[in-house]
Amino acid sequence: MDRFFELTARGSSVGQEVRGGLTTFMAMAYIILLNPIILGGAADVTGAKLSIPQLTTSTIIAAAVSTILIGLVGNAPFGVAAGLGLNAVVAYQAAPHMTWAQAMGLVVLEGLVIVLLAVSGARRLIMNAIPLALKHAISVGIGMFITLIGLVDAGFVAKGTGTPVQLGATGHLTGWPVAVFCFGLLLVIVLSVRKIRGAILIGIVVTAVLAIAVNSLATINPASWGVVVPRVPEAVVSLPDAGLVGRVDLFGGFSRAGVVTATVVLFTLVLSGFFDAMGTIIGVSDEAGLVDAEGRVPRLGAILTVDGVAGAIGGFSSASANTVFVESAAGVGEGARTGLAAVVTGTMFVLTLFFTPLAAVVPAAAAAPALVLVGALMMTQARNVPWEDLTLAVPAFLTIALMPFTYSITNGVGAGVVAYTVIQAATGQARGIPLLLWVVTLVFAAYFAIEGIRGLFV
């Protein structure tokens, strides 16, 4: 095991990887409930809706297979599951124009396209063409992004009435869920600064138990907890329903919705899946200390190939496109450094196939403190950005700022790349820009203008 996962070489241990893998699972387990809600809440062109129990099984199967695969093949401490944002594209951009089977067929094609880009080496070349300063900025931006995710999910930050965002739902901190989150955040901070082993995992478990106790003793609006309401489960074991697995129509979407519409959906899925995963892989690997002096990630080719395969697995399972989860940073914060942590995370997903009720007891208020703390840890990468050089500082800043402000890793990466290329060209450094980076810049320009381009053909 030590040789296979390079535990000693990466300064890790079995115990450290197990803790990290469990922490990653608990930080991303919400997807088991949230993905079915997003997909199940939409109807396809025929008015058909997908079964929530079947979607739950599909989500777990796809996540389990993909996460174990990236651990064994890529030796990376990443959790993989249905990507938020990607599932929204499937539910609200694809399904209204085609059947669910046809929409999932496009997801399978998206995964296959990304596999081809990875196997050909193009995806690795693109990642290596990104300037080192932007790679560090991606880490910082992801830290800001997951912090905002944690704060919003916990109800500590909400959409404002007179401002874009505000403190709490009313402009003030109110309600037991927010109080539980504050307790959990202070707990993980204290445990971490005191260097207690398993600080994040202990914090999640203790806070989840507190949330269950508070919810049972106090009168609380269930909706205030978010997707997961902390209750003692009525049952422990449940049988999975894999009825949606394999229900795909690869090319039917092009005839049903039209070539232009289907192509726009496929382009959106490929670009979002490509760069969301790229940003997460770079950022989390950087935080784990796995990136070399030139910003390169070990076994990158294998990781990128598995990420593409995971996208296709998600489509084949009718769970939407799978991608590397930014919550993997929580496991890294707990010490995960190798693929063994991913195997642990994937195994936990397998277990939840039969113990789904237990996965529904950890609310956002308990998992969110881990995201906020890890966000703080990832901010330390800002020291590696040469802020005195505006030609690098401005693209880096846009990368960092737009990830949380637009709720998208892809938007942040795109803004940074476009700004970097334009600034370098404007200062007479155009010849120093790799040809591949010019291509990526043009792709991002098309991505930002996709609706306008679509209007020219529709």
Side-chain angles (χ1 to χ4, degrees):
M1 186 179 292
D2 189 8
R3 288 194 302 271
F4 186 86
F5 290 110
E6 303 174 2
L7 295 175
T8 301
R10 297 191 183 185
S12 188
S13 65
V14 173
Q16 197 170 308
E17 296 299 310
V18 170
R19 288 197 305 273
L22 290 173
T23 301
T24 294
F25 171 76
M26 298 186 76
M28 63 185 291
Y30 67 87
I31 196 64
I32 296 172
L33 301 175
L34 185 55
N35 191 53
I37 288 174
I38 292 174
L39 293 177
D44 68 9
V45 69
T46 68
K49 289 192 174 186
L50 298 176
S51 161
I52 296 293
Q54 290 180 335
L55 280 171
T56 301
T57 298
S58 294
T59 301
I60 294 172
I61 289 175
V65 174
S66 302
T67 302
I68 291 174
L69 199 59
I70 207 165
L72 295 176
V73 178
N75 195 24
F78 302 140
V80 184
L84 293 177
L86 294 174
N87 52 13
V89 171
V90 174
Y92 302 111
Q93 191 171 335
H97 302 284
M98 59 191 76
T99 67
W100 283 113
Q102 292 164 348
M104 294 304 171
L106 288 182
V107 175
V108 173
L109 292 177
E110 175 256 348
L112 295 179
V113 169
I114 291 179
V115 169
L116 289 176
L117 290 172
V119 172
S120 67
R123 196 176 183 190
R124 185 181 68 254
L125 291 174
I126 290 172
M127 288 184 67
N128 290 336
I130 302 294
L132 184 58
L134 286 190
K135 289 180 178 178
H136 291 307
I138 288 170
S139 299
V140 179
I142 288 176
M144 295 281 287
F145 182 41
I146 65 174
T147 297
L148 184 58
I149 290 174
L151 293 174
V152 170
D153 287 351
F156 194 90
V157 169
K159 185 176 181 180
T161 52
T163 57
V165 293
Q166 65 184 18
L167 196 64
T170 63
H172 302 279
L173 297 181
T174 59
W176 280 108
V178 173
V180 169
F181 162 76
C182 292
F183 168 84
L185 180 58
L186 293 174
L187 177 62
V188 295
I189 290 173
V190 171
L191 292 175
S192 297
V193 297
R194 292 183 64 85
K195 303 188 184 303
I196 303 297
R197 284 189 176 184
I200 295 176
L201 183 57
I202 293 171
I204 292 176
V205 172
V206 172
T207 308
V209 171
L210 174 64
I212 293 172
V214 168
N215 189 63
S216 63
L217 296 174
T219 302
I220 302 173
N221 179 5
S224 64
W225 288 107
V227 176
V228 180
V229 179
R231 297 190 182 103
V232 176
E234 296 179 359
V236 175
V237 179
S238 62
L239 294 177
D241 182 351
L244 290 177
V245 176
R247 288 192 186 178
V248 294
D249 180 353
L250 279 182
F251 301 103
F254 290 92
S255 58
R256 185 67 182 251
V259 174
V260 173
T261 297
T263 300
V264 168
V265 172
L266 181 59
F267 176 76
T268 303
L269 287 171
V270 169
L271 197 69
S272 297
F274 187 110
F275 286 101
D276 263 30
M278 187 199 78
T280 302
I281 290 167
I282 291 175
V284 176
S285 297
D286 199 10
E287 179 62 23
L290 301 178
V291 179
D292 63 21
E294 297 180 357
R296 298 184 179 183
V297 179
R299 301 179 71 166
L300 181 59
I303 294 172
L304 296 177
T305 301
V306 172
D307 177 67
V309 171
I313 289 173
F316 182 78
S317 303
S318 297
S320 181
N322 277 11
T323 189
V324 176
F325 255 53
V326 71
E327 283 82 358
S328 303
V332 167
E334 195 58 79
R337 296 292 181 271
T338 76
L340 179 56
V343 172
V344 172
T345 302
T347 302
M348 291 300 297
F349 274 113
V350 173
L351 292 177
T352 58
L353 269 176
F354 305 96
F355 297 94
T356 304
L358 292 180
V361 300
V362 181
L371 301 183
V372 176
L373 176 63
V374 172
L377 297 176
M378 295 185 75
M379 282 295 295
T380 61
Q381 298 297 334
R383 67 180 182 275
N384 296 316
V385 177
W387 296 107
E388 70 283 356
D389 183 352
L390 279 181
T391 64
L392 295 174
V394 172
F397 172 74
L398 291 174
T399 299
I400 294 168
L402 287 182
M403 284 189 192
F405 290 166
T406 65
Y407 237 61
S408 168
I409 294 173
T410 298
N411 290 346
V413 174
V417 168
V418 172
Y420 174 83
T421 303
V422 170
I423 290 174
Q424 292 298 312
T427 54
Q429 304 298 318
R431 291 185 178 181
I433 301 173
L435 177 60
L436 201 54
L437 201 58
W438 279 109
V439 174
V440 173
T441 300
L442 291 176
V443 169
F444 270 121
Y447 166 74
F448 288 126
I450 189 67
E451 286 304 315
I453 295 174
R454 181 182 180 182
L456 297 176
F457 296 96
V458 178

